[in-house]
Amino acid sequence: QVQLVESGGGLVQAGGSLRLSCAASRGSINMDSMGWFRQAPGKQRVFVAAISWNSGRTKYEDSVDGRFIISRDNGKNTVYLRMNNLKREDTAIYSCAVGRTHGPVLRSDSYDYEHWGPGTQVTVSS
């Protein structure tokens, strides 16, 4: 079974950047779509970005489109989330997960993902 571990979170000032990593410590994710989600305090987990297995397709939540970039390196079994121009409202725990489906459409519902990592905290200060 795939096990995912996120890293790269931390404290950053508004306007700054971070790059999150999601590595498969066990198993392979090279043939799967991958997604990033986030959960702010007291709120539900929400979709951030997704990428197809071959990086041919990406999908972003509207509030991060143009600021965040999802990418992957299948040789390293790792998915990344580059976050630029961070805002206070980006503060959350960020988690990655493996897509359950293998069709042409990237999913944004958390029910379409599995093998969730424990998450990494991102805090944006003003």
Side-chain angles (χ1 to χ4, degrees), residues 4 6 22 33-37 95-99 113-117:
L4 302 175
E6 301 92 342
C22 166
S33 63
M34 296 292 295
W36 282 99
F37 288 73
S95 302
C96 61
V98 180
Y113 291 84
E114 60 185 354
H115 305 310
W116 293 86

Side-chain angles (χ1 to χ4, degrees), residues 4-52:
L4 302 175
V5 179
E6 301 92 342
S7 61
L11 175 63
V12 63
Q13 287 190 328
S17 298
L18 283 174
R19 190 181 79 158
L20 306 183
S21 298
C22 166
S25 62
R26 192 166 68 183
S28 174
I29 58 173
N30 292 347
M31 297 304 295
D32 298 296
S33 63
M34 296 292 295
W36 282 99
F37 288 73
R38 65 186 179 186
Q39 185 168 19
K43 296 186 177 181
Q44 289 188 331
R45 183 162 57 193
V46 296
F47 172 77
V48 175
I51 188 167
S52 62

Side-chain angles (χ1 to χ4, degrees), residues 58-72:
T58 58
K59 180 175 182 175
Y60 297 93
E61 191 272 329
D62 288 346
S63 70
V64 307
D65 197 3
R67 298 189 297 124
F68 290 11
I69 301 172
I70 188 170
S71 63
R72 65 191 300 161

Side-chain angles (χ1 to χ4, degrees), residues 52-120:
S52 62
W53 71 275
N54 63 351
S55 303
R57 287 171 282 116
T58 58
K59 180 175 182 175
Y60 297 93
E61 191 272 329
D62 288 346
S63 70
V64 307
D65 197 3
R67 298 189 297 124
F68 290 11
I69 301 172
I70 188 170
S71 63
R72 65 191 300 161
D73 184 339
N74 284 346
K76 296 182 178 179
N77 226 10
T78 301
V79 177
Y80 304 98
L81 186 68
R82 175 70 178 183
M83 305 186 296
N84 299 316
N85 190 21
L86 282 161
K87 304 176 181 181
R88 288 192 65 183
E89 52 264 40
D90 295 319
T91 294
I93 296 174
Y94 286 70
S95 302
C96 61
V98 180
R100 295 180 187 268
T101 62
H102 292 84
V105 178
L106 292 172
R107 306 291 182 175
S108 57
D109 192 317
S110 61
Y111 292 109
D112 290 313
Y113 291 84
E114 60 185 354
H115 305 310
W116 293 86
T120 184

